[in-house]
Amino acid sequence: QNVDSLHERAGSRYVVPLHGRGNVNRCMQCGATSDRNEYQDLLQDVNEDWLINVKEMEQQTKKNDESESDMRPDGDAQISGEADYNAVCVPNCPICKTGIL
């Protein structure tokens, strides 16, 4: 799997992304693409208060049961506590202003 463009960076010229690309987002409305890292930064910026709240819940959970969060190799994490995912803001596509990335 070449979801991070490592093959191209290593010099391969004929790579078919059968599983998509993990480093590029594509708008589901207009098809515009953007860098995943830039989008991740935007998500963190627009959800700063939510992230602070989750981190506070995580700290409280660690104090209560001495456990660590479950960080996975793919970068996902098991978040402790009762995080309100309905409060997460998902920014619209910067091109068409209506689609989601």
Side-chain angles (χ1 to χ4, degrees):
Q1 293 182 356
N2 182 39
V3 296
D4 57 2
S5 298
L6 184 60
H7 287 62
E8 287 95 335
R9 289 187 283 157
S12 297
R13 295 186 300 179
Y14 305 107
V15 178
V16 178
L18 295 176
H19 300 282
R21 298 205 177 275
N23 61 337
V24 176
N25 290 328
R26 181 177 304 277
C27 174
M28 295 171 62
Q29 182 72 29
C30 72
T33 59
S34 65
D35 179 76
R36 181 187 181 279
N37 291 326
E38 290 175 10
Y39 187 69
Q40 185 68 34
D41 291 343
L42 175 62
L43 278 172
Q44 290 178 358
D45 289 346
V46 300
N47 291 292
E48 184 175 359
D49 291 338
W50 185 86
L51 289 168
I52 290 170
N53 186 37
V54 167
K55 287 178 184 178
E56 289 172 355
M57 286 190 298
E58 182 69 21
Q59 289 300 318
Q60 187 61 38
T61 300
K62 285 181 184 178
K63 287 179 187 175
N64 291 340
D65 66 9
E66 303 293 324
S67 67
E68 297 290 324
S69 65
D70 180 20
M71 183 61 74
R72 299 182 181 127
D74 63 0
D76 288 346
Q78 178 70 36
I79 297 175
S80 301
E82 295 294 323
D84 179 12
Y85 292 98
N86 291 320
V88 173
C89 176
V90 179
N92 288 334
C93 169
I95 304 301
C96 70
K97 310 290 189 222
T98 59
I100 58 172
L101 300 173

